[in-house]
Amino acid sequence: MQDVELNQIDITGDWNPRGSLGNDPYGEADLAGLMAAIQEYGQLQPVLLRPHPDRDGPHRYQLVAGWRRYHSRRLLGDAVVLASVYPFKDDQLDALSTLENTQREELDQFEVVRGVFRTLAAQLDVEMEALPGLMSRVLKTGEDPHELQDKLKVLTSASLSTFNTKYARVLRLRPEEIRAVYGRTVPPTVALELVRLGERPERTSFLQQAAADAWTTRTAKDRVNEALRGAQQRPAVHEVAARVTRHLKPTRLDALSAAQQSHVHDLLRQLEAALAPA
């Protein structure tokens, strides 16, 4: 991989599955998610180039795959793009471009969702994590003082309800999960399944296993469901004990009424008896 100057790359060619340069979906609105990701994490995946077949032309390379990354870097005002250069033959170009495009479909959607949330947050001057709450209030009350629905229509065809129910999980991803998605060690759908674990310790180990064993979405869903079922079946005695212990301070007990102190005393005697060695 190497940095290649954008002005050295010829982007003409009829093997681009998204359309020719004169009729393509590469405006700022379409690329908002990817541009935001590049600004935040850098360009993690290179474009694919081949040495230009026209040695006498103004360009040294021809773009084979990675049109969205190329145009995102251009719109960001960058002078270079991260690239891999291979001597592809003409009969390989269609297959390579289509395969590369297909592999990116899930990541493209993920980038678009994050880009929409980021844009909305900037327009409303709020943190992205606050957006689900704002969306829920609009859906519940019908009042939309921030014109969320109108703003969303400009950015995507998805409804406010869809974004609030289906995509809000994106905002609860941990930084290491986001890096894994953009680094392509786990698919976006697998990372989003791990969000359902909340703060459970399995979440970190599951991410590592998902990357090492190439988990599918179905595998991730099954493993998460299994972990959640197990947690429900096990009494969380340690968590309850920790919470109760925090309340058993003399100042807290002294603040109780006489009736409350008597009730707590009886409960503690029962607990003492239950924990006494046989």
Side-chain angles (χ1 to χ4, degrees), residues 233-253:
Q233 293 168 359
R234 294 191 303 269
V237 61
H238 293 285
E239 294 180 12
V240 174
R243 290 198 301 271
V244 171
T245 302
R246 286 196 294 270
H247 294 303
L248 294 179
K249 297 179 180 179
T251 54
R252 183 66 184 271
L253 295 173

Side-chain angles (χ1 to χ4, degrees), residues 90-137:
D90 287 349
D91 58 2
Q92 294 177 297
L93 298 182
D94 284 328
L96 283 167
S97 186
T98 300
L99 176 62
E100 201 272 352
N101 190 62
T102 301
Q103 290 176 337
R104 284 195 55 84
E105 286 182 356
E106 277 190 352
L107 186 54
D108 286 349
Q109 184 183 32
F110 180 79
E111 290 166 347
V112 167
V113 169
R114 280 180 56 83
V116 169
F117 277 127
R118 190 188 309 275
T119 302
L120 284 176
Q123 291 177 348
L124 300 177
D125 194 24
V126 299
E127 297 294 328
M128 285 201 297
E129 290 74 13
L131 289 173
L134 294 176
M135 292 178 174
S136 294
R137 281 195 287 274

Side-chain angles (χ1 to χ4, degrees), residues 212-276:
D213 300 335
W215 281 9
T216 64
T217 305
R218 171 52 60 185
T219 301
K221 186 185 293 291
D222 290 344
R223 292 295 302 275
V224 169
N225 286 340
E226 180 182 348
L228 293 176
R229 282 196 300 270
Q232 291 171 354
Q233 293 168 359
R234 294 191 303 269
V237 61
H238 293 285
E239 294 180 12
V240 174
R243 290 198 301 271
V244 171
T245 302
R246 286 196 294 270
H247 294 303
L248 294 179
K249 297 179 180 179
T251 54
R252 183 66 184 271
L253 295 173
D254 290 342
L256 299 176
S257 67
Q260 289 173 324
Q261 288 185 8
S262 176
H263 181 56
V264 169
H265 180 266
D266 291 341
L267 292 175
L268 289 175
R269 291 295 299 271
Q270 294 177 36
L271 179 61
E272 183 182 27
L275 294 176

Side-chain angles (χ1 to χ4, degrees), residues 52-261:
H52 203 291
D54 182 5
R55 299 292 181 179
D56 298 326
H59 303 98
R60 292 177 54 190
Y61 304 101
Q62 204 168 32
L63 184 61
V64 175
W67 269 262
R68 297 183 76 253
R69 276 157 281 166
Y70 171 91
H71 285 286
S72 292
R73 297 298 297 266
R74 178 180 60 81
L75 289 170
L76 288 169
D78 297 331
V80 299
V81 64
L82 183 66
S84 294
V85 182
Y86 298 96
F88 296 120
K89 298 178 181 178
D90 287 349
D91 58 2
Q92 294 177 297
L93 298 182
D94 284 328
L96 283 167
S97 186
T98 300
L99 176 62
E100 201 272 352
N101 190 62
T102 301
Q103 290 176 337
R104 284 195 55 84
E105 286 182 356
E106 277 190 352
L107 186 54
D108 286 349
Q109 184 183 32
F110 180 79
E111 290 166 347
V112 167
V113 169
R114 280 180 56 83
V116 169
F117 277 127
R118 190 188 309 275
T119 302
L120 284 176
Q123 291 177 348
L124 300 177
D125 194 24
V126 299
E127 297 294 328
M128 285 201 297
E129 290 74 13
L131 289 173
L134 294 176
M135 292 178 174
S136 294
R137 281 195 287 274
V138 173
L139 294 169
K140 185 177 181 179
T141 67
E143 299 177 359
D144 192 2
H146 301 290
E147 299 180 340
L148 268 175
Q149 297 184 87
D150 291 338
K151 288 181 171 64
L152 196 61
K153 288 178 182 177
V154 174
L155 298 171
T156 176
S157 60
S159 68
L160 185 66
S161 176
T162 297
F163 253 79
N164 188 49
T165 57
K166 182 177 180 181
Y167 297 136
R169 199 182 296 177
V170 168
L171 300 178
R172 299 199 297 274
L173 287 168
R174 294 174 173 175
E176 61 268 25
E177 292 163 349
I178 295 173
R179 287 194 293 270
V181 169
Y182 283 123
R184 288 193 178 185
T185 57
V186 299
T189 49
V190 169
L192 291 173
E193 284 297 321
L194 300 184
V195 171
R196 296 197 292 125
L197 290 169
E199 297 305 314
R200 298 186 186 283
E202 298 99 323
R203 186 166 171 180
T204 298
S205 61
F206 277 13
L207 178 63
Q208 297 168 349
Q209 292 175 40
D213 300 335
W215 281 9
T216 64
T217 305
R218 171 52 60 185
T219 301
K221 186 185 293 291
D222 290 344
R223 292 295 302 275
V224 169
N225 286 340
E226 180 182 348
L228 293 176
R229 282 196 300 270
Q232 291 171 354
Q233 293 168 359
R234 294 191 303 269
V237 61
H238 293 285
E239 294 180 12
V240 174
R243 290 198 301 271
V244 171
T245 302
R246 286 196 294 270
H247 294 303
L248 294 179
K249 297 179 180 179
T251 54
R252 183 66 184 271
L253 295 173
D254 290 342
L256 299 176
S257 67
Q260 289 173 324
Q261 288 185 8

